[in-house]
Amino acid sequence: MTPLRTILLAEDSAADAEMAIDALRDANLSNPIVHVEDGVEALDFLLRKGAYANREEGHPVVLLLDIKMPRMDGLEVLQRIRAEEELKRLPVVILSSSREESDLARSWDLGVNAYVVKPVNIEQFFKAVKTIGIFWAVINQPPEQE
């Protein structure tokens, strides 16, 4: 049996991260969830550097990525991911409160797989994250990793 792949959550808001993790767990997903608080840490995880140099090989099933984060924002993370041969197919879902047209356009231009605006309503946020988790971790069929 293939081990379950990680869901990587890059979110600097502790409250939003906790809600997202609760929603993913409420969806009965058994995938491990790794929460990082900024773009630098997200790239370290993906590229197996720094604190994550010794993590197991393999990429997450999906990266849930906030845009507005310290040290490195989500759009720069997305740009770097798409420039890396081994990461260019990694599913990335922007999960942001930004409704700015420039953020939407740039995300799509950089190859995001989905852009979800965080609803103000907690129930809507919970439902959106559950749906995202189920789709990317269970339903979606990515190509084999190279």
Side-chain angles (χ1 to χ4, degrees), residues 14 27 32 43 49 60 66-69 89 96 99 131 133:
L43 282 177
K49 293 183 178 179
D66 188 21
I67 290 181
K68 312 289 187 200
M69 294 187 294
R89 290 184 181 157
S96 178
R99 295 178 184 274
T131 302

Side-chain angles (χ1 to χ4, degrees), residues 114-133:
Y115 191 109
V116 178
V117 176
K118 294 178 192 172
V120 177
N121 177 301
I122 292 173
E123 283 182 34
Q124 287 178 328
F125 178 78
F126 212 74
K127 185 176 180 181
V129 173
K130 280 175 65 172
T131 302
I132 291 165

Side-chain angles (χ1 to χ4, degrees), residues 39-103:
V40 172
E41 197 177 355
L43 282 177
D44 281 354
F45 181 89
L46 292 169
L47 297 171
R48 300 177 67 218
K49 293 183 178 179
Y52 301 100
N54 295 322
R55 77 165 178 84
E56 289 185 32
E57 289 192 32
H59 299 301
V61 67
V62 65
L63 166 58
L64 303 178
L65 182 63
D66 188 21
I67 290 181
K68 312 289 187 200
M69 294 187 294
R71 296 203 299 164
M72 181 186 299
D73 72 21
L75 294 176
E76 187 174 346
V77 172
L78 180 58
Q79 184 174 20
R80 291 194 181 187
I81 287 170
R82 294 304 184 235
E84 289 283 334
E85 186 63 32
E86 67 180 72
L87 295 173
K88 70 181 181 183
R89 290 184 181 157
L90 174 71
V92 177
V93 176
I94 297 287
L95 194 57
S96 178
S97 55
S98 175
R99 295 178 184 274
E100 295 175 32
E101 187 62 35
S102 60
D103 286 340

